[in-house]
Amino acid sequence: MTCYRRGSVLLTNAIGLHARPSVRLVQMARQFDADIEIATDPKGPWIDARSIVKLMRVRARRGTTLHIRTAGPDAARALALVHSFAAGGFDGQPAEPAAGELIIIGKSASPGRAHGPVHVLRSAQSSSRARNGDGLQVLRTAIESATAQLTELMARSNDDGLQILSFQREFLRDETLLGGAAASIAAGKDAADAWTEVVQAEIDGYEQSDDEDFFARAADLRDLSIRVTALLNGTMSPDPVPPGSIVFADEVLPSQFLSVDWRQGGALVTRRGSPRSHVALLARSRGVPMIVQAAGLPDRPGETALVDGNNGIVVINPERNHALPAQAKATAGAGRMPARPTVSKNSTGGQDEFRLLINVSGADELSGIDPVICDGIGLVRTEFMFMGTALPSEEEQLNAYSLILRWARGLPVTIRTLDAGGDKPVAGLSLGGESNPFLGLRGVRLALANRDVFRVQLRALLRAAAVGPLRVMIPMVTMPSELEAVRELLQQEYAALSSEGVACAPVSLGMMVEVPAAALTIKRFNADFYSIGSNDLVQYVTAAARDNGAVGDVYDPLNEAVLQIISSVVEFGRQSGRPVSLCGDAGADPAVLPALIATGLQSFSVPVDAVTAVRAVIRSVAASRQTQVPPQAHPTDSRS
């Protein structure tokens, strides 16, 4: 079996891979003692880069993601230089690595660029050592300290970090783990050994599960196991990361990532991992460039490194000023981003106007950002408010929502109601012991099962609507009756507020389209607007967890079934005159955006740091206004 090195790059030059670039690529490919192949789909067909005839058949236009694979003695060098050449628009001559330099190609998990000193983060180990006199009280004290540390991290984290840390903290608060360790301690085991043993049994159960989402949570349990064991052994902080570092590691656990101060820059490069992992999600939300699956990353990399998270390139020990491939930088200059509108050429030679909105978790993320960069806020996650020790009051929620609406200055704001459950447990609300919480009581199901809590949130939203135009979005809708139940509650609370003389205003009621049962029967749902949640939709359609690298090739936003479902929702929105948008990672992925635009989508909600890159891609795409996705535009996945 041939062992390939792989990379991919978005073509941003005006003509893509046409005659002159193809000639230059052929000439370059013939210089290497390596097999070099390209494709426009990661599944192939693969084309020999030494054949001009075959290259011209590819017809890779601007906006195409070009996949590259190499094999043979010169494979690493060939991949690095061909990748750099394509990313630079097939212009100039890609520079050979200088003496002492090493170029590594990985997979982009979070866009952006960084240059700085290398810090090697050693793999965390949960080993223990004997301690005379250790006992149950020693373990209980360590667990209490670990819980306090997680609570402190939660206070500094936004929605995504809160979800992960809350999951870990709830595990530590559960007496089940302590009780299991207590039996081993009573039998004479050291406290650290007893703790490691009981948590490892839980980890084994998760890793043996057929459910991919459960499998992915094993990393979170390893994280908290290591935290408590380190406290028991007095080795809690052996490896602090200096601000601005380029961090190299085998893998990084969520709490490790959250403990680093990324405000002064830096980047993350790992040998393992997935672009769908929890840490990748955290990196994107904080604008930290991240590359995963960086094969060949050395143990002793040297003193400095350049990281191009847009293209998955790492230059170790750069000895000159590298001009990294020209591509929109997504992680800086948000306040200087081009203003509205965002336009694209269409098939008739005219222009289509797109709506580019942003995703946020709270008003603090909007500090220093001018509303002119976007057309509004397409997703406000409210779960972060419910992750504390007590549920937020109506006044607390009203204040939080009002701050966001005032920032928007009249632009539309879409606030998603509490989306708890799954891997986002809320103490006092979420059920424990569900065999598969991602298919259990979550989203609107959990809200309707806790109507007293839900009514408080609806009242706060109705009152906030008096500040500015507000759209309320309901998550995880599966049946029309769920949406109608929410509509009835909204009407009841609006009538109650009005009778009390409390300032309020009506809101538009929309739904997340993320459950296939709802997406395929969208005509049954009487919503004012629809927002396609690509993360869960892809996960449910492909039966592959988005944060599990083992099924990363299966979790594919470009899967034809996913695109056809999106196309049908967009077409229904067009026929019924109801807005359709998309939020989730797919909308911020330059490799996926052209296919999404081809479905007819003209509204995207993306992280603030992705606005520049997404706008650049939209402006470069000749968007075809079609009612259905042509099969030839999206290669069929032959696997079953």
Side-chain angles (χ1 to χ4, degrees):
M1 181 177 179
T2 303
C3 182
Y4 289 102
R5 292 179 178 267
R6 299 173 185 266
S8 61
V9 61
L10 180 71
L11 298 183
T12 58
N13 59 311
I15 60 174
L17 186 58
H18 281 247
R20 186 178 64 85
S22 293
V23 170
R24 301 201 65 195
L25 180 56
V26 166
Q27 292 170 343
M28 170 178 281
R30 290 172 177 170
Q31 298 174 13
F32 298 105
D33 182 12
D35 294 328
I36 304 172
E37 297 175 315
I38 66 165
T40 56
D41 185 276
K43 297 180 284 291
W46 291 92
I47 301 300
D48 184 356
R50 291 184 174 88
S51 169
I52 184 67
V53 174
K54 294 178 180 178
L55 282 183
M56 289 301 294
R57 291 174 183 169
V58 175
R59 299 180 182 177
R61 300 178 175 85
R62 181 179 184 179
T64 299
T65 296
L66 194 68
H67 301 274
I68 309 163
R69 71 181 189 183
T70 62
D74 256 354
R77 177 169 160 262
L79 177 61
L81 293 184
V82 172
H83 188 287
S84 174
F85 190 40
F90 305 101
D91 195 19
Q93 183 65 32
E96 291 272 1
E101 285 186 345
L102 177 63
I103 298 178
I104 301 291
I105 303 297
K107 183 177 291 186
S108 173
S110 179
R113 301 189 177 106
H115 177 206
V118 171
H119 178 85
V120 179
L121 190 64
R122 302 302 174 188
S123 297
Q125 301 293 330
S126 58
S127 60
S128 61
R129 57 183 174 82
R131 291 168 56 95
N132 293 329
D134 280 350
L136 183 59
Q137 185 55 47
V138 173
L139 177 57
R140 187 182 294 276
T141 300
I143 290 175
E144 290 173 352
S145 297
T147 303
Q149 290 174 351
L150 291 174
T151 301
E152 182 180 350
L153 280 174
M154 289 170 68
R156 305 199 303 266
S157 300
N158 66 8
D159 177 45
D160 298 320
L162 281 169
Q163 296 169 14
I164 298 164
L165 295 172
S166 176
F167 175 78
Q168 295 185 19
R169 189 175 68 172
E170 290 305 314
F171 255 80
L172 288 178
R173 287 175 168 176
D174 194 317
E175 291 287 327
T176 303
L177 294 180
L178 184 62
S184 295
I185 292 172
K189 279 201 172 182
D190 167 74
D193 287 335
W195 169 254
T196 300
E197 181 181 87
V198 72
V199 179
Q200 186 60 49
E202 293 291 327
I203 292 172
D204 291 343
Y206 276 65
E207 290 184 334
Q208 293 167 12
S209 173
D210 292 333
D211 184 284
E212 297 294 352
D213 291 307
F214 266 71
F215 182 90
R217 298 290 77 74
D220 294 307
L221 296 185
R222 278 196 296 274
D223 198 351
L224 66 88
S225 175
I226 290 167
R227 178 176 293 276
V228 173
T229 304
L231 284 165
L232 286 168
N233 293 337
T235 57
M236 188 58 231
S237 303
D239 199 17
V241 177
S245 296
I246 307 299
V247 178
F248 286 5
D250 285 334
E251 68 173 344
V252 173
L253 298 171
S255 68
Q256 289 177 303
F257 180 91
L258 291 167
S259 67
V260 177
D261 183 0
W262 298 104
R263 291 174 296 180
Q264 298 184 45
L268 178 59
V269 184
T270 65
R271 295 180 181 86
R272 299 195 294 269
S274 164
R276 310 294 179 183
S277 69
H278 269 163
V279 170
L281 178 68
L282 292 170
R284 289 191 293 272
S285 70
R286 285 158 176 75
V288 178
M290 179 177 177
I291 296 172
V292 298
Q293 300 174 28
L297 195 66
D299 290 329
R300 300 177 180 273
E303 296 184 354
T304 62
L306 283 166
V307 173
D308 177 10
N310 299 321
N311 295 292
I313 301 174
V314 186
V315 184
I316 300 172
N317 293 332
E319 296 190 4
R320 51 188 159 70
N321 183 23
H322 280 258
L324 293 174
Q327 190 173 351
K329 187 175 181 180
T331 59
R336 302 184 297 276
M337 294 176 188
R340 303 181 302 272
T342 300
V343 296
S344 170
K345 297 177 182 179
N346 63 27
S347 57
T348 64
Q351 288 184 329
D352 292 315
E353 186 165 334
F354 288 75
R355 297 179 71 243
L356 193 50
L357 307 113
I358 59 174
N359 302 333
V360 299
S361 298
D364 57 319
E365 295 182 13
L366 300 169
S367 176
I369 304 297
D370 193 323
V372 75
I373 71 166
C374 65
D375 297 296
I377 299 177
L379 171 63
V380 177
R381 307 178 185 91
T382 61
E383 298 79 57
F384 73 101
M385 299 186 64
F386 292 78
M387 297 293 184
T389 56
L391 297 177
S393 68
E394 182 178 323
E395 294 300 324
E396 289 173 329
Q397 293 187 58
L398 171 62
N399 180 61
Y401 305 150
S402 297
L403 286 173
I404 295 171
L405 285 159
R406 291 191 183 99
W407 174 89
R409 301 176 195 169
L411 292 173
V413 173
T414 301
I415 297 181
R416 184 177 67 190
T417 57
L418 176 62
D419 187 18
D423 62 346
K424 299 179 285 186
V426 173
L429 289 182
S430 303
L431 293 180
E434 289 185 292
S435 61
N436 191 338
F438 285 89
L439 300 180
L441 201 63
R442 57 170 297 203
V444 68
R445 305 168 187 176
L446 184 65
L448 292 174
N450 295 272
R451 297 196 180 203
D452 290 344
V453 175
F454 193 32
R455 284 180 182 273
V456 172
Q457 182 173 39
L458 296 180
R459 284 175 61 91
L461 289 167
L462 288 164
R463 292 175 63 186
V467 176
L470 175 59
R471 309 194 316 170
V472 173
M473 183 163 64
I474 311 302
M476 202 65 186
V477 176
T478 306
M479 303 179 295
S481 59
E482 294 168 329
L483 190 63
E484 294 313 308
V486 176
R487 190 185 305 279
E488 183 177 350
L489 290 176
L490 270 172
Q491 292 170 347
Q492 291 173 3
E493 295 308 322
Y494 181 71
L497 288 168
S498 298
S499 66
E500 296 166 13
V502 177
C504 61
V507 297
S508 297
L509 178 62
M511 61 179 276
M512 293 281 289
V513 182
E514 50 194 341
V515 179
L520 292 168
T521 60
I522 194 65
K523 295 179 181 179
R524 301 171 60 219
F525 295 82
N526 184 27
D528 297 326
F529 64 92
Y530 306 93
S531 182
I532 298 168
S534 63
N535 293 353
D536 271 329
L537 181 63
V538 176
Q539 180 169 241
Y540 290 141
V541 170
T542 62
R546 66 177 183 264
D547 58 356
N548 188 328
V551 292
D553 290 341
V554 182
Y555 180 97
D556 183 8
L558 293 175
N559 184 291
E560 187 174 357
V562 173
L563 293 171
Q564 287 182 354
I565 287 174
I566 292 174
S567 180
S568 66
V569 174
V570 172
E571 175 60 15
F572 172 71
R574 186 188 67 79
Q575 292 177 355
S576 63
R578 302 177 192 184
V580 177
S581 186
L582 181 140
C583 61
D585 290 345
D589 187 341
V592 179
L593 259 175
L596 293 177
I597 293 172
T599 69
L601 271 168
Q602 291 182 255
S603 180
F604 299 91
S605 190
V606 301
V608 174
D609 290 332
V611 168
T612 297
V614 171
R615 179 174 281 118
V617 173
I618 290 175
R619 285 176 170 167
S620 72
V621 172
S624 173
R625 311 301 347 136
Q626 300 178 17
T627 58
Q628 292 187 341
V629 184
Q632 65 270 25
H634 311 291
T636 301
D637 190 343
S638 60
R639 294 166 294 180
S640 59

